[in-house]
Amino acid sequence: IGDGANDVPMIQEAQIGVGISGKEGRQAVNSSDFAIAQFRFLKRLLLVHGRFNYRRTSKVIIYSFYKNIVLVIVLFLYSCYSSFSGQSLYGADSWCYSGYNFFLGLPPFFLGFFDMDVSPKMAMTFHKLYYVGLKNQDLNLTKMIESFGFAIWDAFLIYYLTHLSY
């Protein structure tokens, strides 16, 4: 976080640089990732937007792993069934895989646009809500293993219910 020309190297080196426009000029703002007009806006940037961004990013990462694990395990189970002959489960391979990643890649966009677990006013009032990110409660090894378990379960369910229906 910086507000002048002397802060530019620090802002550029940081993972996320915040420039504050002020009396010292606009050099910090021009070289930053985020620009705010006054220091008082920093509180909202961190407590509301930072918190929402962490939660949304965590959900997108877990979902991306989940959907790809389901696809791969279903294909692996089919490969075992077809004696690893190289026969494709899907007729038009490239279209199916592209469609799978495109259509199932859309939910994270909607999640990013509309997901808010608490109102911005509540996030500003109760600062302890910010600790979810500091304590890695949304993206940690336990959540990833849990998601992997659900993906494996769903893949087996999809494959064997489809196999039994034929």
Side-chain angles (χ1 to χ4, degrees):
I1 302 171
D3 65 346
N6 60 332
D7 297 326
V8 169
M10 173 187 63
I11 289 173
Q12 290 176 338
E13 191 66 30
Q15 291 177 355
I16 298 174
V18 179
I20 301 170
S21 59
K23 296 177 184 176
E24 295 185 29
R26 298 191 44 87
Q27 290 90 354
V29 171
N30 291 337
S31 64
S32 65
D33 299 314
F34 296 99
I36 56 177
Q38 298 173 355
F39 272 104
R40 66 185 174 102
F41 297 134
L42 188 61
K43 182 178 179 183
R44 181 172 174 86
L45 181 67
L46 289 174
L47 295 178
V48 176
H49 300 291
R51 181 178 183 280
F52 287 163
N53 186 43
Y54 167 72
R55 296 195 53 120
R56 291 171 181 164
T57 303
S58 300
K59 290 178 183 179
V60 167
I61 289 169
I62 289 174
Y63 176 76
S64 296
F65 276 108
Y66 168 83
K67 75 178 180 70
N68 288 311
I69 288 171
V70 169
L71 176 68
V72 168
I73 290 179
V74 168
L75 290 174
F76 177 74
L77 291 173
Y78 183 74
S79 294
C80 292
Y81 175 73
S82 66
S83 300
F84 298 99
S85 66
Q87 181 181 0
S88 176
L89 175 61
Y90 308 110
D93 282 336
S94 62
W95 287 102
C96 184
Y97 298 133
S98 298
Y100 180 83
N101 281 316
F102 176 75
F103 290 115
L104 292 180
L106 289 177
F109 284 110
F110 294 113
L111 179 78
F113 289 135
F114 302 115
D115 182 44
M116 284 195 292
D117 58 335
V118 296
S119 68
K121 185 176 180 180
M122 188 173 287
M124 289 285 288
T125 306
F126 300 104
H127 299 173
K128 290 204 178 208
L129 292 173
Y130 188 74
Y131 288 123
V132 170
L134 293 175
K135 294 180 180 177
N136 292 330
Q137 292 178 347
D138 284 339
L139 185 63
N140 56 32
L141 186 60
T142 306
K143 292 275 187 181
M144 293 297 284
I145 290 172
E146 180 180 303
S147 172
F148 291 174
F150 282 127
I152 292 168
W153 169 254
D154 289 344
F156 273 88
L157 199 65
I158 290 168
Y159 177 76
Y160 283 111
L161 286 179
T162 305
H163 184 72
L164 291 174
S165 69
Y166 282 110

